[in-house]
Amino acid sequence: MHSEHLALHHFAHARAGDKGDRLNLAVFVYREEHYSWLLGQLTEERVSDLFSHRGVTRVRRYPMANLAGINFVLDDVLQGGVNGSLNLDGHGKTLSAMLLSMLVESPVALKLS
């Protein structure tokens, strides 16, 4: 069985938003037929592991089938948020790029195996 791992950004794009110390990351696949693959690749556990160094306390996943995307809500990941942190990125906009850097199993390789 052939398996190839590539960064998520090859297959999806993302948007970020914040409220206090809570971050929303929405991920959308470029090709609608990859949506079910995305559900298998992006779990709450994997996203929580990726952001564990930032002190995330909870990750909730909300699939959005009609938009071929997933919205993640991450608690306590902004180190206080815009008003409570001296971070350069208190809104967490760059954290969507971090999520898109996650290595995932290529959906193309899955079709070939």
Side-chain angles (χ1 to χ4, degrees):
M1 181 159 100
H2 178 72
S3 177
E4 182 178 8
H5 289 85
L6 296 171
L8 178 60
H9 69 81
H10 289 284
F11 312 105
H13 62 97
R15 301 288 296 176
D18 71 294
K19 189 59 108 178
D21 203 11
R22 182 170 285 151
L23 175 67
N24 282 345
L25 292 175
V27 181
F28 305 92
V29 289
Y30 294 125
R31 299 177 61 166
E32 194 170 329
E33 64 266 26
H34 291 162
Y35 177 66
S36 62
W37 162 85
L38 183 70
L39 290 172
Q41 296 293 311
L42 290 186
T43 64
E44 291 175 342
E45 293 77 21
R46 286 196 75 196
V47 174
S48 181
D49 287 346
L50 183 66
F51 290 97
S52 64
H53 72 285
R54 295 188 58 93
V56 66
T57 58
R58 183 168 73 171
V59 174
R60 285 167 288 162
R61 182 176 95 155
Y62 299 95
M64 303 180 292
N66 290 343
L67 300 174
I70 302 172
N71 186 42
F72 288 94
V73 178
L74 292 78
D75 290 342
D76 306 312
V77 73
L78 297 176
Q79 299 168 333
V82 174
N83 296 323
S85 172
L86 296 176
N87 270 339
L88 293 175
D89 182 20
H91 295 284
K93 298 298 184 189
T94 59
L95 298 180
S96 61
M98 184 175 163
L99 180 59
L100 292 174
S101 71
M102 175 188 282
L103 292 180
V104 293
E105 194 167 354
S106 167
V108 177
L110 291 175
K111 282 185 178 179
L112 297 176
S113 62

